[in-house]
Amino acid sequence: MTSVRTLVPTGQLASVASRRVLQSLMRTGQEARFVGGCVRDCLLEIQAADIDIATPLPPEEVMRRLKADGIRVIPTGLKHGTVTAVIGNETFEITTLRQDVETFGRSARVAFTDDWLADAARRDFTFNALSLTVDGELYDPFGGVADLTAGRVRFIGDAEARIREDVLRLLRFFRFYARLGKGPPDKAALSACARLAPLVTTLSGERVRDEVLKLLATDRAAEVWRLMVDQGIMEHVLPQAMAVDRLAALDRLEWMVGETEPLARLAALLPGGPLAHAAAAAVADRLRFSNFQRDRLAAIAAPVVDVHPNLPLKSRRIALHRLGPEIYRAVLLLAAAAMGTPAFELFEPLAEASAWRETPFPLRGQDVLDKGVPAGPEVGRLMGEVERWWIAHDFQPDRDACLAELGRRLAC
Ligand code: ATP
Ligand code: MG
């Protein structure tokens, strides 16, 4: 493989830590290169999410050398040839070159190799098969630079065969198309994706989650999600998340009033009304969400209090108190997206949400106990009653007034 041009490594690729790792691996003459996404992102002049390095050295040798040079190393995936080097707050995934070993016509086994081209050929898209040496030689065996410039997301080899090897590539196709694509998607790739979509159900929730959230974080999420719905693909990925019109409307509002988060975009895709809660739970199950993600999705998709742009002031303050400003903001945007509210009508309520400072409820459980109520569920019930009264009075009553109200309730 000969290098096609030079590219000056920038960002983390040019850090002191990077050089230390590469020097350690190259000490006895073997080459080590940056590979995959971090080279693509360097070309695009954006910061890479993570740094991958490839080397012909076997993983045990990689570990031995890094340790000998005083670099912390974690055997993150020794079986697959991957170790992680850690220097300060920088990490590097170092993987031994691999190639597929054909068995009975199917690429079933992987072996370590010193063949850079074979390693590049196992990667998914032409622009993900780039590699870069520390002194700036760029290797591009499948025309990835030209594809990147033209916005073409192109599989290396036959799309259908590559997706059958690893179905995650189907989702990666749409994620990269959303992020980097220009013009219509590659025809062969799109029809292979449509044909093989039912296989997505065999993927683990964690892998689908990462791709879905990355897709939703792109500027073209709504457009690409619509493409996946129209191609009959989304029904195999997240059949609950088909409300693309609402996502598109949310996008237009975001453009005017500022970004929301991928979870709010996901919530926009779910059915509204009484079906929202079950849909949010099903999506959280499928994507193996953390409890935090699960609760947040449900809080936005099926809010415990109704929010819309024309609420009177008192109801807005109650909603802000119950939802907190972040969820309130997301729920408000979603409601506005569903109702077709123009963005300018949202400026004031959104500013109000940003300025919102929670008034803490002035009573504690101890105050109820001090009034002689025995510890138990009655304490919580009374607290809840007085809090509702306090909210109904627009958060105005102070501690003395709340204590007096508690006394009145105890007297009845
Ligand atoms: P991101 O910016 O999200 O990190 P990435 O392309 O770097 O995107 P990684 O998951 O970090 O994705 O993978 C690093 C590289 O490994 C890719 O650029 C690609 O070369 C290769 N790769 C990752 N996943 C696959 C896959 N499922 N099939 C083939 N190659 C893959
Ligand atoms: Mg990466």
Side-chain angles (χ1 to χ4, degrees):
M1 211 196 323
T2 48
S3 74
V4 282
R5 52 174 270 195
T6 53
L7 171 70
V8 180
T10 52
Q12 200 190 334
L13 301 191
S15 74
V16 174
S18 260
R19 275 168 199 276
R20 266 186 74 195
V21 171
L22 287 170
Q23 276 162 7
S24 179
L25 298 173
M26 292 166 70
R27 183 149 298 152
T28 49
Q30 290 88 354
E31 190 155 33
R33 297 183 196 163
F34 298 111
V35 284
C38 64
V39 183
R40 175 200 68 220
D41 291 344
C42 180
L43 263 169
L44 293 168
E45 297 179 12
I46 55 179
Q47 185 157 1
D50 36 34
I51 306 290
D52 292 299
I53 292 173
T55 167
L57 299 172
E60 297 75 19
E61 179 62 15
V62 172
M63 300 237 347
R64 202 188 59 70
R65 287 190 184 202
L66 294 174
K67 278 187 190 158
D69 285 329
I71 296 170
R72 189 152 87 87
V73 41
I74 306 166
T76 34
L78 220 46
K79 256 210 324 241
H80 309 110
T82 304
V83 306
T84 302
V86 185
I87 299 178
N89 57 6
E90 294 183 50
T91 61
F92 304 87
E93 297 246 302
I94 302 159
T95 305
T96 305
L97 294 176
R98 292 173 297 185
Q99 67 180 14
D100 288 338
V101 179
E102 300 285 327
T103 46
F104 311 108
R106 292 178 64 195
S107 50
R109 275 199 317 119
V110 169
F112 297 142
T113 177
D114 58 3
D115 182 348
W116 287 90
L117 184 60
D119 184 84
R122 292 188 66 242
R123 296 174 184 275
D124 45 10
F125 306 111
T126 55
F127 51 56
N128 283 348
L130 301 168
S131 57
L132 180 68
T133 65
V134 67
D135 42 29
E137 298 225 58
L138 179 66
Y139 292 86
D140 178 15
F142 304 108
V145 175
D147 284 343
L148 198 58
T149 311
R152 280 190 301 260
V153 185
R154 205 157 54 83
F155 279 97
I156 298 168
D158 177 60
E160 171 148 356
R162 301 310 312 280
I163 295 170
R164 283 190 186 280
E165 284 168 11
D166 179 0
V167 181
L168 192 74
R169 291 171 188 160
L170 188 156
L171 298 179
R172 285 175 62 88
F173 173 77
F174 289 101
R175 195 243 290 186
F176 285 112
Y177 179 61
R179 196 174 135 196
L180 305 170
K182 294 180 205 136
D186 182 89
K187 269 209 184 107
L190 188 63
S191 63
C193 289
R195 250 187 337 271
L196 300 178
L199 298 177
V200 170
T201 53
T202 63
L203 287 171
S204 75
E206 290 83 349
R207 295 184 86 201
V208 177
R209 174 187 59 216
D210 290 352
E211 289 305 320
V212 161
L213 293 182
K214 282 180 176 174
L215 169 54
L216 285 172
T218 67
D219 288 345
R220 289 170 66 218
E223 179 194 335
V224 172
W225 206 277
R226 189 184 302 284
L227 175 68
M228 293 174 80
V229 170
D230 291 349
Q231 293 289 319
I233 294 168
M234 194 46 77
E235 65 197 72
H236 302 287
V237 183
L238 285 179
Q240 302 82 1
M242 309 283 259
V244 194
D245 286 337
R246 193 151 70 129
L247 177 60
L250 178 68
D251 261 8
R252 282 194 293 276
L253 290 178
E254 282 185 349
W255 187 78
M256 289 288 286
V257 300
E259 294 271 301
T260 59
E261 51 177 318
L263 284 183
R265 290 176 165 192
L266 185 54
L269 287 157
L270 303 180
L275 298 176
H277 203 276
V283 166
D285 282 344
R286 172 63 181 121
L287 300 182
R288 310 228 25 178
F289 271 176
S290 66
N291 287 341
F292 175 82
Q293 290 171 309
R294 167 184 295 273
D295 292 348
R296 202 167 171 89
L297 181 67
I300 299 172
V304 290
V305 29
D306 199 27
V307 175
H308 61 80
N310 311 317
L311 278 184
L313 177 67
K314 196 165 158 187
S315 313
R316 295 207 299 271
R317 289 160 64 98
I318 291 174
L320 270 163
H321 170 72
R322 296 203 51 195
L323 301 177
E326 272 184 44
I327 303 283
Y328 174 92
R329 182 190 146 87
V331 172
L332 176 66
L333 281 176
L334 243 61
M339 292 166 65
T341 312
F344 72 87
E345 286 184 23
L346 296 173
F347 291 145
E348 211 180 293
L350 287 174
E352 181 182 68
S354 306
W356 169 257
R357 292 290 168 269
E358 184 70 33
T359 320
F361 178 50
L363 298 192
R364 295 276 155 272
Q366 188 60 45
D367 297 317
V368 185
L369 295 173
D370 289 349
K371 296 263 183 199
V373 179
E378 185 63 3
V379 175
R381 197 188 62 75
L382 277 163
M383 285 277 285
E385 257 191 29
V386 180
E387 187 174 8
R388 274 190 293 282
W389 170 85
W390 173 72
I391 293 171
H393 287 79
D394 209 16
F395 314 99
Q396 297 302 316
D398 62 8
R399 181 170 160 78
D400 286 346
C402 287
L403 281 171
E405 179 63 21
L406 174 63
R408 270 194 293 282
R409 276 163 203 264
L410 281 169
C412 327

